Amino acid sequence: MTTVTDGAALDAAELRRRVAGFVAEHDPAATPQQEFLAARFDAGLAWVHFPEGAGGLGAPRSLQPVVDEEFERLGAAPTGREGLVIGLGMAAPTILAFGTPEQRERFLKPLYTGEEVWCQLFSEPGAGSDLAALGTRAVPDGDSWVVNGQKVWTSLAHEARWGILVTRTDPDVPKHKGMTYFICDMHAEGVEVRPLRQITGEAEFNEVYLTDVRIPDAHRLGAAGEGWKVAQTTLMNERVAIGGHADPREGGLIGVVADIWRDRPELRTPGSHDALLRLWVEAEAARLTKERLRQQLAIGQPGPEGSAAKYAFSRLNQEISGLEVELLGQEGLTYDDWTFRRPEGVNFTKRGAGFHYLRSKGNSIEGGTTEILRNIIAERILGLPGEIRVDKDVAWKDLPK
C-alpha cells in the first residue's frame, strides 16, 4: 500500500530513505533525545499514519513498523520512555480521534517528545471494573467546567503534567450516558495527588482528589455526554499498549527465567524443566499472537482482541514470576530494596525475583481487571451470551451507591 505526499510515492522504500536522510542530518549521538524527537515529529516520522502537521505523513498505519525498525537499525531508537506509556499509547490516539486541530497542535508534540508526561484519571473507589459507575462530577460554569471527585490507581500522577479525565456531567440518564471526557491540568488549583504505597514498597500509583478544579471547555475531548464513547477509544488502546507491545523472542520475564536456567544448572529439576518449557511455549505463542494483532491494527482501530493480549500478558507474568521464585529457592525469597520511592516509570524485568513476583500481582488489575477482560473476550470475541445487566436503563442517580 502506498500514498503520496510532497509529490513522492510513500511506501516502505521511500520511508527508509527519509529516515536515513533524517538521521544523517540529525546525529542521534550528538543531539539531545528530546530535541531529536521534536525534529522527528516535525518531519512526520513520529506516527506516520497521523496527519501531516500532527507528527505524521498521512501514510498507512502498516508502515509505522518500517519507520521504527529503521530508526532502531540506525541506532536512533528512543530510550527511557517507560513513563510515557499513557501519553503515547492512550492519550495520543484519543486526541487524534476526537481532538480539535488546536488540541492536536497543543498536546501531541510535547507528548511525543516526553516533555509532558500524562496520567489516566478513570478509576474511582466505587468505579473500577465498572467504570461507567463513576461519580466524579463536572458542572458547566460559563466557558469552563468545575470538577469535584476522587480518582484512584492513577499511575505516575506525581510525574504528570496532564491527565485524561472522565467525569459525570448528567446524572439523570443511564450510567453509560451523561459522561464527558476532558484533558485535566495536573498543576491546576484543586488537584491533589497522594501516593499509594504498593506491596513492592514503591508508589507508582496514586489517588487524586479534585476539588473545585476548573477545566476550560476548550480542553473537552468529544461532545458533552459522549465521554463513554471517547473512553472506549482510550481503553482499547490501553490494552494494546500494555499487552500488545512488540517483544523479541524470549523478551520479558520468560527471558529472565530462561537465562537463570541456562546459567545456573545446579538449580534445575525435572519439574521446573517441564514448567519452564510449558511457559516458554505459551510466551512464544502469545508473542506471535501479539504480532498478528499488530498486523490487524495496521488496517484499523484496536478492537476487543487487545483485551485477550492484555489478559495473556497478566497471566503469563504471574506464572513466570512464580516459577522464577521457585527456581531460585531461598534466594528467590530475598528482596532487593523496600525503600519507599515514587518512581518515574516501571520496568517489569530489571529488578530481582521478589520484585517481579510482587509487581506482577498488579498486572491482573491495571488496564482492565482479568474478570472484566474475560467478559469482553466471551461476549465480543467468542459471541457468548452477555451477562444479565439490570442497571443499563436506570438513571445513574437512581443506582445503589
Side-chain angles (χ1 to χ4, degrees), residues 293-325:
L293 171 62
R294 287 190 295 277
Q295 292 173 2
Q296 292 173 335
L297 291 177
I299 58 174
Q301 291 296 317
E305 296 85 0
S307 297
K310 194 272 173 179
Y311 168 70
F313 166 82
S314 302
R315 183 182 63 81
L316 281 170
N317 259 10
Q318 292 173 353
E319 290 195 36
I320 293 168
S321 63
L323 175 60
E324 182 185 14
V325 170

Side-chain angles (χ1 to χ4, degrees), residues 112-349:
Y112 179 74
T113 63
E115 180 182 349
E116 294 179 343
V117 176
W118 288 65
C119 67
Q120 182 184 16
L121 300 164
F122 277 31
S123 294
E124 298 180 9
S129 296
D130 184 10
L131 177 62
L134 66 84
T136 293
R137 290 281 280 121
V139 178
D141 183 20
D143 59 358
S144 298
W145 298 74
V146 178
V147 180
N148 285 276
Q150 179 188 357
K151 299 292 183 175
V152 74
W153 307 121
T154 310
S155 300
L156 302 176
H158 56 285
E159 295 286 333
R161 176 66 178 82
W162 300 100
I164 43 179
L165 167 68
V166 185
T167 67
R168 176 76 48 197
T169 50
D170 186 352
D172 296 320
V173 295
K175 63 182 181 179
H176 289 88
K177 302 177 182 179
M179 299 164 63
T180 304
Y181 195 118
F182 296 98
I183 295 171
C184 177
D185 183 353
M186 295 301 291
H187 295 173
E189 184 177 354
V191 177
E192 180 186 1
V193 178
R194 300 181 187 176
L196 283 175
R197 191 171 189 181
Q198 299 150 237
I199 195 173
T200 60
E202 297 184 342
E204 71 193 66
F205 292 116
N206 303 270
E207 50 187 349
V208 179
Y209 291 85
L210 304 161
T211 306
D212 293 332
V213 178
R214 300 192 72 88
I215 298 179
D217 189 62
H219 285 182
R220 172 174 45 82
L221 278 178
E226 294 188 0
W228 181 251
K229 176 182 177 182
V230 183
Q232 286 303 295
T233 296
T234 303
L235 293 172
M236 293 300 101
N237 280 282
E238 175 185 34
R239 287 153 193 171
V240 173
I242 293 175
H245 56 281
D247 278 329
R249 176 171 287 187
E250 290 196 4
L253 280 180
I254 194 64
V256 174
V257 179
D259 286 342
I260 294 173
W261 177 270
R262 297 187 184 101
D263 298 340
R264 306 276 300 273
E266 74 278 6
L267 300 176
R268 301 173 187 171
T269 66
S272 59
H273 180 247
D274 289 347
L276 177 59
L277 283 179
R278 176 180 63 83
L279 290 172
W280 192 97
V281 170
E282 290 191 30
E284 181 64 8
R287 185 184 73 84
L288 294 174
T289 301
K290 288 190 290 185
E291 179 60 35
R292 183 174 64 183
L293 171 62
R294 287 190 295 277
Q295 292 173 2
Q296 292 173 335
L297 291 177
I299 58 174
Q301 291 296 317
E305 296 85 0
S307 297
K310 194 272 173 179
Y311 168 70
F313 166 82
S314 302
R315 183 182 63 81
L316 281 170
N317 259 10
Q318 292 173 353
E319 290 195 36
I320 293 168
S321 63
L323 175 60
E324 182 185 14
V325 170
E326 181 180 347
L327 188 61
L328 290 171
Q330 291 184 349
E331 180 183 339
L333 297 177
T334 61
Y335 200 80
D336 54 354
D337 187 1
W338 284 101
T339 304
F340 174 73
R341 61 170 65 88
R342 304 179 80 180
E344 296 179 358
V346 59
N347 190 296
F348 294 106
T349 61

